[in-house]
Amino acid sequence: MWMKVIGIIYVVKCTEYCCLQPVYIKNQAVLSKFSKMSHFSCEDEALLQSMLRQLLQSVKEKIIGAPSVECAEEILLHLEETDENFHNYEFVKYLRQYICSTLGSVIEEETEKCTSAQNQGEGSGYDTLVQHVTKKTRESKEYREMMHSLKNVMMVVVESLINKFEEDQMRNKEMHRKTKKEQHSAYYTDNCSDSDSSFNRSYTFMNQEQLQLLVERLDPAQPKEVRHEAMQTLCSVPPSDVLNCESWSNLRKHLTVSLSDPDSSDKILRFYAKTFSSSPLTMTKEVYTSLAKHLELYFLSGENCVPTISDGIDITNAEIIRLLKKVRLLNEYQREVPSFWIRHPEKYMEEIVESTLLLLSVKREQTHLVSPKLLDAVYFLALLDIKAVWFKKWMHANYSRTVVLWLLEKKYKSLITASVQQCVYYFESCESAVDATSKVNVLPQQYSSNNQKTFYSGQELQYIYFVHSLCLLGRLLIYKQGRNLFPVQLENRKDFISLTDLLVLFIQFIYCSPTCPKTTLTVHTDDSSNYSPAVLVTEVLQILCDRIECATECLYTNTVIDALLHPIHNLLNETEMYINCPETSLIHIADILARIAAVEDGLSLLLYGGNMNSAKKDSLTAAHTIVQFTKKLLDENISVLSGSEMLPAVKGAFIFVCRQMYSTCEGLQVLIPYGLHESIADAWKKASSLSERIPTPVPGADSISSGNQESQNIMVWEETLLDDLLNFAATPKGGLLLQNTGALNECVTFMFSRFSKKLQVSGCERFGYGVIVTQIASTSPGAVALHRSGFIKSLITELWAVLECGRDDHRVTHPSSTPVDPIDRNCQKSFLALVNLLSYPAIYELIGDQEIPNKPEYSLREVPTNVIDIIDRLIILNSEAKIHSLFNYEQSHIFGLRLLSVLCCDLDTLLLLESQYKVSQVLLNAQKENIIETSEGPGNFIIDGLSVERNHVLVRINLTGGPVERILPHRVLNKGTDPYPWPMFSSYPLPRCYLSEAPRKADFRQDSDLNKLLASLKNPDKQLVWIENCRRQFCKIMKAKPDVINGTILAELIEKFVLHLSENPSECYFSTGEYEADDANVKNESLSSVQQLGIKMTVRYGKYLNLLKDGAENDLCLVLMHCDKFLKQQQTSVKSSLRCLQDGYAGYDWFASSVFLIMSGEREKTLTFLQQFSSLLISAFLWLRRLHVSVHLSIDTAESGIHPIYFCSAHYIEMLLKAELPLVFSAFHMSGFTPSQICQQWLAQCFWNYLDWSEICHYIATCIFLGPDYQIYMCISVFKHLQQDILQHTQTQDLQVFLKEEALHRFRVSDYLEYMESLEATYRPLLLRDMRNI
C-alpha cells in the first residue's frame, strides 16, 4: 500500500523530473545500513532517493502514457508482471532485503507451526499454508512496526524529492525565459524543462541555413561574445542535426581550435559528452577523432605549457584540470565503444583506433638536449586509467584486436617500444637505488590516507606510467600477433629486447622492486597493494600460465625458469642478494612455479629441463632445486626467513609446487630420493603436537585475541600439511610412501571432511578426489582407512537414499518416475563410486571372514552402513523379509546384481563371495522360484529383468575363459516372438550353448625356427650371448608364427630357459634355500575354502582346454600346499591389524595354477619349475604369492600389505600411459578411475577371463624370456588396443564397468610385440633399475 501511495504522489508531482547520473550502490553495505532505520542520515536519504528515482525513471515511459492517475496506479501495482527488469532495480532489492531481515524470523516461526500441524493431520495443502503464514505475518507486531518505520522514512524521502522538484521547476522557468530572449525569433523551442537530464533536455531544432549561420558564428575569428552565444545555442541543438549538417567539417575544425579556449572548452566538452551518450558510432567517431586531434596538437604545440616530468602534476591547476577533463572524456569513450562498434562498418573502428594510437605515440621535439622531458599524452591517460583497461577491452574481441595489432606492427610500434623502455627504466631505477642504499627507495614517501591527493611528483608519474605499460604489455603477450611484435630495439641501446628478455625483466620485478606506497594510488583503489610491481607481474604471469599456447611460447624456457629460481639459488647457496620483502616475493614465485607444474609441458621442463625424455635424465634440473629449497624451508634453515610470521605460508607455497610434481608418477620418481614425504610428515607431527596443546575455547572469550589467532594458524598449517601428504596417494608408489609415514588414517579422515563439505581439491585440480579415493581403495590399509574415516558409510548411506528413498526435495511435488535403465541415472554415480572402491584388497579387508546378518525382520527405516549390509540387502535376497524391506525391490535388486557382476570379474573376489556366501546357489534358488508351476510339473521360466540379470551373472561366475572361449548371454530383450533366446537354468551343469568349442592341439615341432630355439636351449654357451640369442629367436617366432609357442612346446621352452637362468648366479635375484618336495611334508597342511574353490575352477578350465585328466585336482592341491610351505620359509613375522597379513596369502595362486596347466597337470615338473623360477626377479611380478610378507622386502613394505605389482608395476604403467597414450590417461583421470587398479586385477589373475588361454601363455612366456618390464609394456599395449573403446566409455560414464566386465577382444600379444620392443628401448634402464630395488 505504501509503495502505491509513494508512487502516485511522485508520478503526479514529478512525471517530468529525472536524473542524468546512473545510480551505483554497494548493495550489502548500504542495505544493511538502511535496515537500521533508527539512524537515518542525510547520506542514507540521498541514496534512497537515488534508488527511488532510478525506479521511476525506468518506468517513466509507461506512466506518462497513462490516461489517468488510476491507470498509473494500476501500472505500478502490476509492474512485476510487466517489467522483466523489476527485480534488478536497486529499490526493489532494498525492499526485499529489508522485509526479509525484519520479518524473516516471524515467517519461519509461523511456517514451523503450520508444518508441525500438517504432520499431525491438521493441514490441507501448500496453498493453505502460504495463505495462513501470510495472514499471521501481516497481523504480527513486527509487521506493524516495519510498516510504521518504512512509512516515516519514505515520507521524508518523497517530501525531499517533491521539494527538489519544485526548486528545479522554478530554476528551469527562469532559464527558459532567459533562453527565449537570446534566441532568434525564427527558432522553434519545445516546452520541456532544460535540466541536465538525459531524458528532459530542451532541444532547439534548426534547418541547414540556421546551422550554417551557427557554424560561421563559431569561427575563431569571431568575437569572443559571439562565439560564446553560439556555443550556448549549439549545446541545445540535437547532436544528430549538428553532425549531419553540410558544414560539419568546418564546424569540427572550429571546435578543435576552440577547445584550446579556456572559456569555451567546458561547453564543447559538454556537447561532446552529449554526443557520446546519445549518438550512433557513425557520429561519435567524428567527435572522438576531433577530440583526439585536438589533444595531439596540444601536446605537439610549443605554445601550451605542458608540464615536465620533474615538475609533476598539480591537479588543482586550472589548465591541468581542463586537460584531464579532455583525456578523461576520451578514456571513458575508449572503454565504452568496444561494446557496440562491432555493429558498424570496420572503417569507423579503424579511425578511432588509429587516432588513439597516434595521440599516444606523439612526442614533442626537445629544443635543447639537456632540457627536461615533457609529459606525453600517455602519462595523463595512465593517470586516469592506470591499469590500461581501455587497451584490455580493445584487445578482447578479435574484431578490434586484429586492427590494433596490425597498426601497432605497421605504424605505431614506437608505443610498444616506449612501454618496454619505461619498464627497463623503472628496473634500472630499482637497481640503482639498491646499489646506493641497500634498500629500494624509488617511490616517494607515503602520505596520510585521509588527505585527498592533489599533486603527483615526477617519480609517482613515472611509476604510474610504468604500471600502465606493464598492464599493456601483459595484455599484449596473451596474443600470438602481440608476441610477434618482439624483439624491439630501445633508444640508445644496440641490443634488442626479445620476448624472453621481457619475461625475465618482469620476473625480476617480483623480487627486486619496491611495494607500492599505500597512498600513491588511493584515487584508484582502497587496496594499493594491487599496484605493487610484484602483484602486477604475478597477475600477468598467472594469465600467461593459464593459456597453454602463451605459456609454451613465453614461460616454458630454461631462461625464464632460471630467472624464477634465481633468488632460490641464492638463498640455498647463502649468496648475498637483496630481495625486497622476501616472503611475499617467494610466495609469488611459488605460485607461478605451481601453475607451470600443473601443465604437462611445464612439468616436463621442471623435471627434465631441455631433455624431455624421462628415462634419460641425469643433470639436476629445476625440480631438484625446488625440492631442496622446500626441505630447507621445512627444516627452517633459511636465515633470511627465520622468525618470520609468514614462514608457514612460504613453506606451504613451495610444498604445493612440489605437490604438483609428486602427485604425478614421473614427478614422484624425481623427488623420491629427497624423502620429502618424511619431511612433511615430521612437520605435520610437530604441528599436530602443538595443536593438541591448544586449550578448549571458552564461551564469551575474545575470539580475535592473539592466542586464538595463533592457535587458528597452527590448525590451518596442520590441515595444509595433511592435504599435502594426502596427495602422495595420487600415485601407486606415493600411496606406499604415505602408508610408511603413518599418517594415512589422518589424511583420509581429512579428505573425507573436505569431501563431505564439497570443497575443491586444489586450485589446479578439476576432477575432485575421485582418483585419490580409487588409488587408496586399491590397497588394504587404504580400504581400512576409508572405512574408519566414515567415507564408506557416507557413500552407502547416500546410495541408499537415492536408490530406496529418493531425493527429499522432490518427493512431494515431483513423484519419482519409473526407471527405464537397469541402473537409474540418479544411482549411476553411487554405483561407479562403489565399483571404484571395491577392489579385491578392499573387499577382503571389509568383508573377509564375516557373515551376512540374515535377520528375520528388517525395518523400513534400517539403512545399510557398510559393504556387508549392501550384500545382504541388495545381492543375497534369500528371504521374504529382505524383499519386503525394499521400497523398490526390482530396481534395487538389479542394482545389486549389476554390482555383483562387476565384483565377480575379479576372480579372487568371486572365490571369496562364493566361499563365504554361496552366491551362485542363492541365485540358482531364485531362478528356481521364477519357474511357472503347471499341473504337469515345472514349466517355463518367467522372463523379467531380474531373471535375465541372474542368468547373466550365473553364466559369468561359473564359466572360465577368454573372449572366444566362453559365451555370455545378453542382458537385454529382443523384439519379436522370441525376446530371450538364451536358455535359463536353475541347476548345474550349464547348458552347452554357453561353451564354445575347445581349442585343438597342434604339433609344430617340425618348424625350423622353433628347432633352432630348442637347440640353443639344450646347449647353452656363453651366458650373456646365449640369453640374447634365445630372446632374439623367441621374438622372431612370436612375430612370425605365434601359434607355434603353445602346449608342450611352450612348457619345454620356459622350463629349459628358467633352468639355465636359475643356474646362473648373475640372473638369480632371490636366494631361495633348499626345499624337498616330499608329499609327506604337507600331509598336515590344509587349504582354505577360497583355494579349494580356485582349484575346482582351474581343473574345470583345464579340462575344457583338454590339458588335464582325471585326478588333476589332487595334484594341484599338492602343488599349492608345497608352494605354501616352500614360500613360508622365506616369510618374515609382521605386526599388523590388516586382515590380509593375519594368515596366509589372501587370494588364490593364479600363476601357480597357470603353470600347472602349461605343464599339462604334471605335478613334479610344475614344482621343479616354480622352485627354480622363484630365484628370478621376474617371479616377484608374475607370481604374486612369491613376495607375500617376504624377507626379501623391507619391513615397512611387508607390513604395509601393498604388493610390488601395485607400487612398482602399476606405478610405471601409469607413468608410461601418460607419456605414450595421453588421451587414455586423461580419460581415466576424468572418470575418477585409475589404470593401476584395473592392471592390478589383470595381473593378479594372469589375465584369466580377459584373454584366451593361448594369449595368457604368450604373456607369461614373453615376460619370462624378455624380462619383467615386459609386464608393464603388455598393459600399455592393452590400453593402446582399447584406446577408442576407452574414450567412448568415458563419454558414456561407464569406463570402469567396461574395463572390468569386458574381455580383451581381438588382442594378440604377438601383434604388439614390436610396439613393446620400442617401449623397451626407451624405458628399460629406468624400469629395471627400480624393479630391482623393490
Side-chain angles (χ1 to χ4, degrees), residues 757-924:
K757 296 172 185 174
K758 294 180 171 39
L759 298 177
Q760 188 178 358
V761 178
S762 76
C764 299
E765 175 56 62
R766 298 186 181 90
F767 299 103
Y769 283 109
V771 168
I772 292 179
V773 171
T774 307
Q775 294 283 25
I776 291 173
S778 300
T779 66
S780 298
V784 173
L786 287 169
H787 176 71
R788 289 175 179 169
S789 69
F791 183 91
I792 295 176
K793 179 181 178 181
S794 171
L795 180 64
I796 292 174
T797 304
E798 182 181 352
L799 161 66
W800 196 260
V802 176
L803 189 62
E804 278 291 300
C805 306
R807 290 175 53 185
D808 289 340
D809 55 343
H810 280 185
R811 288 172 65 185
V812 178
T813 55
H814 298 277
S816 60
S817 57
T818 302
V820 177
D821 301 319
I823 295 179
D824 191 42
R825 290 184 63 185
N826 292 332
C827 307
Q828 181 75 6
K829 183 178 178 182
S830 299
F831 179 77
L832 296 178
L834 274 179
V835 171
N836 292 348
L837 186 71
L838 298 179
S839 66
Y840 177 68
I843 280 280
Y844 189 75
E845 293 299 324
L846 297 174
I847 71 169
D849 302 322
Q850 296 183 51
E851 296 181 357
I852 57 175
N854 276 331
K855 298 179 184 179
E857 186 177 352
Y858 292 84
S859 167
L860 292 173
R861 295 184 178 275
E862 193 172 339
V863 177
T865 57
N866 53 46
V867 178
I868 287 285
D869 290 344
I870 287 293
I871 294 173
D872 183 42
R873 301 289 298 280
L874 297 181
I875 297 176
I876 303 181
L877 297 182
N878 53 358
S879 70
E880 292 293 323
K882 294 182 182 179
I883 294 173
H884 293 155
S885 70
L886 298 174
F887 287 107
N888 306 307
Y889 162 64
E890 185 170 346
Q891 180 190 353
S892 298
H893 191 26
I894 287 178
F895 181 97
L897 292 173
R898 284 290 173 106
L899 180 62
L900 175 64
S901 175
V902 176
L903 294 180
C904 288
C905 293
D906 188 316
L907 294 181
D908 283 322
T909 302
L910 168 60
L911 296 180
L912 181 66
L913 293 173
E914 186 66 24
S915 64
Q916 291 189 179
Y917 309 127
K918 307 291 185 294
V919 289
S920 60
Q921 191 58 50
V922 171
L923 296 179
L924 287 171

Side-chain angles (χ1 to χ4, degrees), residues 374-518:
L374 298 173
L375 290 173
D376 300 318
V378 69
Y379 282 90
F380 291 89
L381 181 62
L383 187 63
L384 295 167
D385 189 1
I386 187 168
K387 284 195 171 182
V389 175
W390 68 274
F391 190 74
K392 177 181 178 181
K393 291 190 174 185
W394 285 19
M395 295 290 284
H396 179 70
N398 184 67
Y399 178 73
S400 55
R401 182 170 63 246
T402 304
V403 174
V404 173
L405 292 171
W406 186 86
L407 287 171
L408 285 174
E409 180 183 5
K410 300 299 181 183
K411 295 184 178 181
Y412 304 107
K413 195 171 182 179
S414 60
L415 181 60
I416 304 304
T417 304
S419 296
V420 176
Q421 180 78 56
Q422 184 64 17
C423 292
V424 172
Y425 165 76
Y426 177 74
F427 178 71
E428 291 173 347
S429 301
C430 293
E431 281 190 320
S432 62
V434 170
D435 294 339
T437 64
S438 297
K439 183 174 181 180
V440 178
N441 187 25
V442 180
L443 297 178
Q445 63 183 12
Q446 300 183 14
Y447 297 86
S448 169
S449 59
N450 296 325
N451 297 333
Q452 186 176 2
K453 192 162 182 59
T454 59
F455 180 78
Y456 289 87
S457 67
Q459 284 185 332
E460 289 175 320
L461 291 172
Q462 291 283 28
Y463 183 75
I464 289 169
Y465 180 30
F466 157 71
V467 172
H468 187 272
S469 300
L470 183 61
C471 294
L472 186 146
L473 292 172
R475 183 58 50 175
L476 195 69
L477 296 183
I478 294 175
Y479 308 102
K480 184 171 183 62
Q481 298 94 325
R483 297 191 293 272
N484 289 341
L485 295 174
F486 292 87
V488 297
Q489 187 170 21
L490 306 185
E491 295 179 7
N492 304 322
R493 286 176 182 263
K494 293 182 180 179
D495 54 335
F496 285 80
I497 300 292
S498 66
L499 185 61
T500 301
D501 295 333
L502 183 65
L503 266 299
V504 170
L505 179 66
F506 282 3
I507 291 167
Q508 290 173 325
F509 285 133
I510 295 178
Y511 49 84
C512 290
S513 61
T515 55
C516 175
K518 293 184 179 179

Side-chain angles (χ1 to χ4, degrees), residues 835 838 840 897-911 913 952-953 956-957 959-961 966 968 971 1097 1150 1238 1240-1242 1244-1250 1296-1303:
V835 171
L838 298 179
Y840 177 68
L897 292 173
R898 284 290 173 106
L899 180 62
L900 175 64
S901 175
V902 176
L903 294 180
C904 288
C905 293
D906 188 316
L907 294 181
D908 283 322
T909 302
L910 168 60
L911 296 180
L913 293 173
H952 178 90
V953 175
R956 180 180 288 277
I957 67 180
L959 272 185
T960 306
R966 66 173 179 173
L968 297 177
R971 286 165 157 158
M1097 181 183 290
W1150 298 104
I1238 188 61
Q1240 183 177 227
Q1241 180 173 319
W1242 288 340
Q1245 63 196 51
C1246 293
F1247 287 97
W1248 280 42
N1249 279 2
Y1250 290 101
Q1296 41 272 79
V1297 177
F1298 163 74
L1299 289 173
K1300 292 197 173 192
E1301 285 195 338
E1302 287 299 315

